[in-house]
Amino acid sequence: MADPVLLEHPADGVALLRINRPEARNALNLEVRKHLARHLTELGENEATRAVVLTGNQKSFAAGADIKEMADAGTIEMYQRGVHKLWRTIASCPKPVIAAVNGFALGGGCELAMTCDIIIAGETAKFGQPEVKIGIIPGGGATQRLTRAVGKYKAMRYILGGDPFNAREAFEMGLASEVVPDAEVEQRAIALAQQIAELPPLAIQLAKEAVLAGMEAPLSSALALEAKSAQMLFSSQDQKEGMRAFIEKRKPKFTGR
Ligand code: CO8
């Protein structure tokens, strides 16, 4: 059986995870989620990995949770599958994760993209939370992450309506970071990952932490966290190197220390 998630290394410091269930439009079954969680945990701990690209194929990023796998399940079984724990692991990768979205990003697929830090969407990508159409509601974070990304009224529009929205709408709402021609999605995501991979990793990691932790905190606590994180970086060699290189008008050499 083919690996449900393929790991590639398209550039220095960049890992690419490719969901590989084309026959099911990359529906997220338990196997795919477990592989994603394992890979993201390992990549998060691997010093050589500076940024991760998460993608699917031209037709589908991921068409949601695997409906066939859960259609007959009961409450306890759903609980025991532990999907909620896998979501937590997937969403807590400390390295920057860029979603490269072509085709469908529906239900859990849209939620998966929303666990990422940056979303690069192909022009014909289709996003949406169609769960209400099959008698449930989003269970992987959309009621919160979509609402926080685009605001209550747009989130309600799509979570209650269940119909998809296109990449341009996603961009205008603030869900997609960039929209590019379909054929350039992966290449653009890798280039951005490469750009980030060349920057000092401690600064990148703390910037990600400050944004995400800050979103859950009151403004004063979030600003204090930001200030402390920025101050902390003055103990890093990369801060000394970055500032010295600027003053000496040369390219910095970052080591991650
Ligand atoms: N699950 C399982 N199989 C799927 C899924 C899916 N989400 N999506 C597509 N497939 C399968 C199809 O069944 C089909 O299989 P087969 O060839 O065996 O019939 C194959 O993929 C190809 O699909 P289509 O023929 O439908 O391909 P199209 O290109 O015509 O359409 C679509 C693609 C639009 C993506 C369409 O397949 C579709 O609408 N899929 C379902 C989308 C959806 O409803 N997603 C949300 C699922 S629910 C969810 O994500 C959240 C669950 C929360 C759980 C909470 C737990 C507590």
Side-chain angles (χ1 to χ4, degrees):
M1 205 182 72
D3 212 333
V5 177
L6 306 173
L7 171 62
E8 300 166 23
H9 294 283
D12 243 20
V14 177
L16 183 144
L17 293 175
R18 191 184 299 284
I19 303 169
N20 184 34
R21 285 192 80 205
E23 72 288 356
R25 297 287 182 269
N26 281 345
L28 303 168
N29 62 5
L30 210 48
E31 206 51 24
V32 169
R33 292 174 200 270
K34 282 183 181 164
H35 277 71
L36 282 175
R38 179 175 58 78
H39 279 303
L40 285 165
T41 302
E42 287 171 7
L43 293 170
E45 289 166 358
N46 178 357
E47 220 179 294
T49 303
R50 301 282 176 87
V52 181
V53 173
L54 176 56
T55 195
N57 55 47
Q58 284 297 318
K59 270 202 178 137
S60 189
F61 176 73
D66 190 312
I67 298 170
K68 293 168 190 165
E69 195 183 59
M70 64 187 169
D72 296 323
T75 318
I76 299 302
E77 195 181 340
M78 288 303 283
Y79 174 72
Q80 286 174 334
R81 285 181 187 179
V83 170
H84 54 292
K85 290 188 217 154
L86 294 171
W87 270 125
R88 273 207 297 275
T89 307
I90 289 168
S92 60
C93 178
K95 308 282 167 73
V97 184
I98 302 176
V101 178
N102 264 320
F104 302 108
L106 301 176
C110 189
E111 291 172 311
L112 180 63
M114 288 191 287
T115 66
C116 298
D117 305 306
I118 295 171
I119 299 177
I120 307 292
E123 273 164 348
T124 68
K126 286 250 175 315
F127 295 83
Q129 298 296 155
E131 287 89 342
V132 289
K133 291 185 177 172
I134 52 169
I136 54 171
I137 68 164
T143 61
Q144 304 313 307
R145 288 205 178 92
L146 186 63
T147 307
R148 285 162 204 223
V150 308
K152 172 184 164 185
Y153 297 98
K154 283 173 189 150
M156 284 288 198
R157 159 71 189 82
Y158 289 106
I159 290 172
L160 302 184
D163 50 329
F165 50 95
N166 65 35
R168 188 55 56 192
E169 289 167 308
F171 178 75
E172 278 160 13
M173 283 194 275
L175 182 63
S177 318
E178 291 182 19
V179 180
V180 300
D182 291 352
E184 292 170 22
V185 168
E186 204 171 300
Q187 186 190 320
R188 173 65 194 136
I190 293 169
L192 189 54
Q194 225 174 335
Q195 178 185 330
I196 293 169
E198 285 169 11
L199 295 167
L202 282 168
I204 294 296
Q205 206 161 315
L206 281 172
K208 171 168 173 168
E209 235 177 87
V211 172
L212 292 182
M215 282 172 75
E216 294 179 22
L219 181 62
S220 56
S221 312
L223 291 173
L225 173 71
E226 182 197 79
K228 294 289 170 215
S229 303
Q231 289 156 7
M232 205 172 110
L233 286 166
F234 281 76
S235 291
S236 72
Q237 292 171 17
D238 282 347
Q239 173 268 327
K240 298 289 174 282
E241 169 62 8
M243 292 195 182
R244 258 183 226 131
F246 172 79
I247 293 164
E248 293 164 10
K249 299 186 189 302
R250 60 174 174 82
K251 201 171 182 288
K253 277 199 201 105
F254 294 121
T255 59
R257 300 282 172 247

